[in-house]
Amino acid sequence: MKKLAAILMALMLVLSLCACSASTTDTTTTETATEPETTEATTETTEIPDISLTLWGSELTEFQDALRVMADSFIAEYADEANITIEIGAQSESTAKDTILTDISAAADVFYYADDQTGELVNAGALQPVENADAIAEANGGYEAGGVQAASVGGTLYAYPAMGGNGYFLYYNKEYVTAEQAGSWAGLLEAANAAGKQVTMQLNSGWYLYGFFKGAGFSCSLADDGASTLCDWNTTGGTDVVQAILDITADSGFINLDDAAFVTGVQEGTIIAGVNGSWNAGTIQTAWGDNYATAKLPTYTLNGTEVQMGSFDGYKLVGVNAYSENVGWAMRLAEWLTSEDNQIYLYEATNGSAVPSNVNAAASESVQSNPVVAALATQSQYASAQSLSVGGNYWTPTETLGNILANGNPDGTDLQQLLDETVAGIEAAVG
Amino acid sequence: MNKREHDGKRLFLPVRAVKDWLAGDVFVKLTPLLWGAGYIRRRQFIKGFLAILFECVVVLFSISYGFPNIAKFGTLGTVKRATVYNPATLKNEVNQYDNSFLILLFGLVGLLVLAVAVVILMRIVTEARELQQKDEQGVHINTFREDIRDLFNQKFHITLLSLPSLGIIVFTIIPLIFMILVAFTNYDQQHMAPTELFTWVGLDNFKRLFNNSLSETFGYSFGKVLGWTLVWAFFATFTCYFGGIALSLMINNKRTRVKKLWRTLFVICIAVPQFVSLLLVRNFFADTGIVNTFCSNAGITDFLKSIGLVGQYLDHIPFLTEAGWAKFMIIIINFWIGVPYLMLIATGVLMNIPTEYYESAKIDGANALQTFNRITMPFMLSVTGPYLITSFIANINNFNVIYLLTQDVYFTMDTKLAASNAKDIDLLVTWLYRLTNDYYNYKMASVIGILVFVVCAVFTLVAFNYTFRKGREGRFQ
Amino acid sequence: MKKSKAPVDPALIVKKRHVNPRLLTGDIIRHLILALLAAIWLVPIVWLIATSFSAYEGRNILRFFPESWTLSNYARLFSDTDSVSNFPAWFSNTFIVACFTCVISTLFVLMVAYAMSCMRFRGRRALMNTGVLLGLFPGFLTMICIYYILKELSLTDTHAGLILVYSASSGLGYLIAKGFFDTISRSMIDAAKLDGASEAEVFWKVILPLSKPIIVYTVISAFLMPWMDFIFSNIIIKSRLSGDWTVAVGLYNMLHKSSVNTYFSRFCAGGVLVSIPISVLFVIMQKFYVESVTGGSVKG
């Protein structure tokens, strides 16, 4: 009995020791915070840290190859300060947000993304504010420049402008369409009907549909909460714009196609003109050869007068993940990737698809002579930036409106009611 | 003198445990403090040691993960994440912030662990009392080896079920309870952990389901999507069912040659994985796809336009892009995928129908139709009845067909549906998936998930009652 | 015509030589209909195979059969590995995951089915009802939570994580196996127990050897699951390196709008390559499935 009691007492002691040690461990789950590197700095610098970074960029082969080259040059440049390894993954810029927001801490340290995602990424806390914002802004044309505005929210710069020219303009095949016809939708449709082919634009997308309304003087803007949208499309004259669009879609020479179908149509020869962006320039140029031509967006007929279409400006930006463990190094990498020299390198490596946003790089000879850049430059006076204009709830209702118009308003809904419902959806509070 | 049984029934565990604890000797009383005490006193040393080990684990877990998060369960966190960039160290300095998601998850797990631990403790107490009584009465107490042998005999079910149950608890039950709880929070894109905090909102999300205005359209969308889900499940199940039976009857006909060849040809269609065949078919029927080219060249498109099935503004058939056509095509394509599968099952059943029935019917002078109605169908229905029910419920959740066929190509023309991110051809599950994946609206997705459960549960109950009644009436005679 | 050894009734012989013309036309019509249906059913598959041999990289709109034929799509699937296409790595990833999944899933399913079917214990009904209840919830609801659970265990982006996701809850799919076990006669089990066998011995030595059809069915259906699932692998695998994906995820990503015009024919080639072993396994599985399901329901 005594032995038993002794054993039991011993066990109780062990148990209480267990409990004590447990309560001194961390209570809340926190991120591993700073490990002061100051101690390393004071010791002899034979001890350089190992840094590993992940980089995401477009999956296109030329792009991936170019990224690898730029990453290796970065590693070589800083070899004396750190052992850097950079892993490059393929993530299309247009869907970067989807992959990142599911789990921000598992996303890459540095990533390319399209500027329409800036607002949502900032709201989710995924973007690290740029450290030397003034220098970056200056290199890209100052705080008023489109690219810098596309990367900023509330005056703070959150990303590094990498590529401009992500807006849209008109491609046309000189074999079937003259330059004059390319100036207006009426001319384009005329050319299409004469050649028995079609011209296209993607109407069921808020990105493209915006052009019609902006050209006519309507606008969208961000509400005070920074997430919702204010929109005036359903005020006087809105129905005229809708009617003008319906007139275009009624013509058999017009077809509503999405991006991939547009390229397929060009390659198969069924499309002779279309509104699209710089990312397909290479493919289209290969398909049309010497007949390849670009221009600003055409005008459309509104109540008998010709009105120039507006558009959205588009930029591709490099963001730094705010949850990255090596934020400082990630920012250095981002700055390296978007430096003037590297932007020129990327432009050449991708055969002109990656139009630089850096002011000096964009001013170079080879860039200026690119027909895509010329078209965008002409169109840019009518363009506005997405991040300033539209919030989260803009996209789905406009997609629906565009779809209805592309199908010719099959239910015969009253146009004003259509606009009212769309605007109600756009202006609905987010969340 | 078994106080544990009252009128032949066993008492509820907590009541039993308290009674045993009160009636036990000093070691039983010591057990809640030191879980192995009862075992050790009765010389079951290994069991005692294991019990104490378990107690340590539970205590450790509760103190490090459980209690801190349970404490914050009520608010789901109050300290928002804040970072300061330190240029000297090239890293962000983060405060001790609360991650609402992890608080909810670990709080839930902590509560479950505590609940399980309490139940196990009660079991241990009652066992300790049992052992004490056995000792006093001189009944044999199992050695460890004998206990192990029991685990492979009378208690084999415990051994068998432990690992699978663990898997199910961790990967199904805990996530499920978690998501049900999320339905009562405001976890969506504006409140995404770890950057933002989310908190409880009670029944607000459910109330949104009954709102119907231009900007609050969840109620409207839910009604429409539910309607289509039920219509779709009905058509999908029954078209495939009767189609499969018809096809297998044709192939199984005595005078059909090379039966195996026919069967193999049809089976090839389902052997190709759905994500390949459906994505392929989506391209096949695209607005500018090959079928449309064929139809325009053959004049079918113009014919359909003239009879009004295709809108005047279009010069292609909107197979998968217009609501009416898309619904029709989805059912047809599902028919394409489902019939070979049903054909195989029907073949198996048909081959088992005793031939005497057919022969006696022939002697009685029945023709083909009567044979079908009186013999084949009733037999088929009685054997595959349960399958039909499970198939209907499975079709309510048939994600692949709808998602793969319409995801990037179908855009709705209903502004109210668009405002809640739904589409006319959506099932409840595809809507749920889109809300989770594309819009991070976890709270509404959870609400819909719960409602899917309710719908399926209702149908299951109705169906089982129906078959139960029918079963009693006597089977196929 | 079969030769029969028994004496044949002359009247019957005469009847057999006389071919009924109505039956013959019925036969022809039926065979024609079957041929037509089979052709319709196979049209997309034929298109899949034809496009996989197409020299044109994108989607063919204007023609059903490609203009120029080539084997290069298949060759490039294996030789050209880039950020979008990495078929060898996908195949090996999926194969490894599938092997482990099928072993664990089969074990779990058989264990649960035996416990529910051949043993009687307190709480059996309650557990079965809970299983039914759990099956009524949609599977995708819990995706995000499972992802974070795996993250806490540091298992995201790993083979082990995928294996766990596919096989951990497989015990819930025990119904078919249970149905089969229900048809095994109790007398055999009772005889074995009288001989002194424990439940475990009954399980290993009596039941399992008799259960070949259901074991094959369970193994094959568990093996096939990782090949066909693209939803859960997308959630668990966050890596953007093409070498980390499974076949389903990789092929699905090939059709992303920015790459579909350069990878479509390779997608078709990949689809064909994946379909061949799956079809073979599927056909085998169906034989065993029908055997075990109908055998069970007719007897029981």
Side-chain angles (χ1 to χ4, degrees), chain B residues 395-415:
Chain B
N395 266 325
I396 292 184
N397 284 338
N398 190 347
F399 178 84
N400 273 354
V401 176
I402 308 252
Y403 183 77
L404 290 171
L405 280 179
T406 58
Q407 181 55 9
D408 293 326
V409 296
Y410 180 86
F411 298 102
T412 180
M413 290 205 263
D414 184 332
T415 45

Side-chain angles (χ1 to χ4, degrees), chain B residues 180-420:
Chain B
I180 293 177
L181 288 177
V182 163
F184 299 95
T185 66
N186 60 352
Y187 184 26
D188 60 15
Q189 196 170 3
Q190 308 309 115
H191 300 92
M192 291 233 300
T195 314
E196 300 281 335
L197 301 167
F198 59 84
T199 184
W200 302 104
V201 291
L203 291 171
D204 279 357
N205 298 327
F206 289 91
K207 286 187 197 152
R208 284 181 77 178
L209 271 188
F210 297 102
N211 277 343
N212 197 349
S213 65
L214 273 185
S215 50
E216 266 297 339
T217 57
F218 262 100
Y220 171 82
S221 303
F222 181 72
K224 281 204 104 177
V225 173
L226 177 64
W228 163 243
T229 307
L230 294 175
V231 166
W232 145 265
F234 176 78
F235 275 107
T237 317
F238 286 100
T239 51
C240 289
Y241 186 70
F242 288 111
I245 293 180
L247 191 61
S248 74
L249 278 176
M250 258 204 287
I251 295 184
N252 263 357
N253 190 304
K254 265 191 297 199
R255 301 180 60 86
T256 311
R257 306 282 194 82
V258 287
K259 293 192 176 57
K260 271 218 166 127
L261 174 68
W262 296 121
R263 260 184 238 132
T264 320
L265 284 180
F266 284 102
V267 167
I268 290 181
C269 305
I270 41 175
V272 175
Q274 277 192 350
F275 73 89
V276 171
S277 56
L278 287 173
L279 285 177
L280 203 68
V281 169
R282 181 177 83 185
N283 275 309
F284 204 59
F285 286 105
D287 279 351
T288 47
I290 198 138
V291 175
N292 256 314
T293 317
F294 173 74
C295 285
S296 328
N297 292 342
I300 300 182
T301 320
D302 295 324
F303 169 68
L304 287 174
K305 269 172 105 164
S306 65
I307 58 174
L309 280 179
V310 172
Q312 295 307 312
Y313 279 47
L314 302 169
D315 51 6
H316 56 265
I317 308 179
F319 284 113
L320 292 172
T321 47
E322 198 236 306
W325 274 97
K327 291 180 181 174
F328 175 69
M329 286 309 294
I330 289 175
I331 295 180
I332 297 272
I333 295 175
N334 180 67
F335 184 76
W336 175 66
I337 293 191
V339 159
Y341 197 75
L342 257 299
M343 175 205 47
L344 287 175
I345 296 188
T347 308
V349 177
L350 281 178
M351 294 217 268
N352 273 309
I353 301 183
T355 41
E356 306 99 56
Y357 292 121
Y358 286 116
E359 281 167 18
S360 55
K362 225 182 186 171
I363 295 177
D364 287 346
N367 65 14
L369 195 60
Q370 283 170 323
T371 325
F372 181 74
N373 268 338
R374 295 284 169 80
I375 301 181
T376 320
M377 272 321 293
F379 189 85
M380 192 65 91
L381 277 173
S382 78
V383 169
T384 52
Y387 176 81
L388 209 54
I389 297 169
T390 36
S391 173
F392 181 83
I393 295 184
N395 266 325
I396 292 184
N397 284 338
N398 190 347
F399 178 84
N400 273 354
V401 176
I402 308 252
Y403 183 77
L404 290 171
L405 280 179
T406 58
Q407 181 55 9
D408 293 326
V409 296
Y410 180 86
F411 298 102
T412 180
M413 290 205 263
D414 184 332
T415 45
K416 282 176 131 187
L417 279 182
S420 35

Side-chain angles (χ1 to χ4, degrees), chain A residues 1 4 8 11-12 15 18-19 21-23 25-31 33-37 97-99 101-102 104 120 123-125 128 131 198 204 227 246 249-250 252 255 257-258 261 322-323 325-329 331-332 396-397 399-400 403-404 406-408 410 420-422 424-425 428 430-431, chain B residues 27 30 33-34 37 40-41 45 52 55-56 59-60 63-65 68-69 72 81 83 85 87 89-99 102-103 106 188-190 192-196 208 214-215 287-288 313-316 318 321-322 408 411-415 418-419 421 423 437-440 442-443:
Chain A
M1 252 329 239
L4 204 55
L8 285 176
L11 283 168
M12 286 226 271
L15 191 66
C18 260
S21 65
S23 54
T25 56
D26 261 349
T27 50
T28 345
T29 42
T30 60
E31 216 175 78
T34 57
E35 298 135 19
E37 292 205 14
K97 163 195 77 137
D98 297 328
T99 317
L101 287 190
T102 331
I104 306 179
E120 287 178 82
N123 278 339
Q128 172 79 11
E131 199 193 346
Q198 289 182 307
N204 54 359
L246 283 172
T249 59
S252 60
I255 183 171
L257 290 178
D258 71 12
Y323 282 74
E325 279 179 15
N326 296 298
V327 170
W329 280 106
M331 288 202 281
R332 284 188 184 175
T396 322
E399 186 181 277
T400 311
N403 203 27
I404 297 178
N407 283 294
D420 288 333
E421 286 175 352
T422 307
V430 177
Chain B
F27 285 94
L30 205 53
L33 214 55
L34 190 64
I40 293 182
R41 174 66 184 89
F45 292 116
I52 294 179
E55 183 185 1
C56 281
V59 167
L60 267 170
I63 293 185
S64 52
Y65 277 100
N69 289 308
K72 301 197 184 132
R81 184 175 190 268
T83 63
Y85 176 63
T89 63
L90 293 180
K91 291 194 198 276
N92 269 332
E93 284 165 14
V94 193
N95 65 343
Q96 293 265 47
Y97 66 99
D98 289 332
N99 184 331
L102 292 180
I103 291 178
F106 285 127
D188 60 15
Q189 196 170 3
Q190 308 309 115
M192 291 233 300
T195 314
E196 300 281 335
R208 284 181 77 178
L214 273 185
S215 50
D287 279 351
T288 47
Y313 279 47
L314 302 169
D315 51 6
H316 56 265
T321 47
E322 198 236 306
D408 293 326
F411 298 102
T412 180
M413 290 205 263
D414 184 332
T415 45
N421 305 124
K423 295 184 180 174
N437 222 36
D438 296 343
Y439 298 97
Y440 311 103
Y442 298 108
K443 61 179 200 278

Side-chain angles (χ1 to χ4, degrees), chain A residues 138-305:
Chain A
E138 169 117 23
N140 287 290
Y143 277 103
E144 294 305 311
V148 179
Q149 292 203 324
S152 317
V153 172
T156 321
L157 186 65
Y158 277 100
Y160 300 75
M163 292 178 248
N166 212 34
Y168 47 93
F169 48 92
L170 184 73
Y171 289 97
Y172 65 96
N173 187 335
K174 282 196 285 201
E175 188 184 342
Y176 300 100
V177 183
T178 67
E180 198 197 326
Q181 284 174 319
S184 69
W185 275 108
L188 284 171
L189 292 170
E190 184 193 326
N193 287 320
K197 310 258 184 192
Q198 289 182 307
V199 295
T200 178
M201 177 172 169
Q202 183 175 14
L203 283 178
N204 54 359
S205 156
W207 202 42
Y208 291 102
L209 190 66
Y210 182 77
F212 288 100
F213 287 93
K214 174 149 200 315
F218 294 92
S219 66
C220 290
S221 58
L222 272 183
D224 289 329
D225 65 354
S228 310
T229 322
L230 295 170
C231 181
D232 65 356
W233 290 5
N234 59 344
T235 52
T236 332
T239 51
D240 296 330
V241 179
V242 174
Q243 187 54 53
I245 302 177
L246 283 172
D247 292 337
I248 295 179
T249 59
D251 195 305
S252 60
F254 176 84
I255 183 171
N256 174 60
L257 290 178
D258 71 12
D259 194 68
F262 169 65
V263 173
T264 315
V266 165
Q267 288 174 326
E268 296 264 331
T270 50
I271 299 291
I272 58 170
V275 173
N276 208 280
S278 61
W279 50 92
N280 282 323
T283 327
I284 300 179
Q285 184 156 27
T286 324
W288 284 343
D290 291 329
N291 290 320
Y292 168 77
T294 61
K296 66 163 176 53
L297 291 178
T299 61
Y300 70 99
T301 320
L302 181 65
N303 284 338
T305 45

Side-chain angles (χ1 to χ4, degrees), chain C residues 96-128:
Chain C
I96 296 174
V97 170
C99 285
F100 281 97
T101 306
C102 84
V103 167
I104 301 180
S105 288
T106 313
L107 274 176
F108 278 14
V109 165
L110 290 176
M111 286 180 357
V112 176
Y114 181 79
M116 296 303 185
S117 162
C118 304
M119 294 187 65
R120 293 287 175 272
F121 52 92
R122 216 160 40 101
R124 190 181 71 108
R125 281 254 145 232
L127 281 177
M128 294 208 317

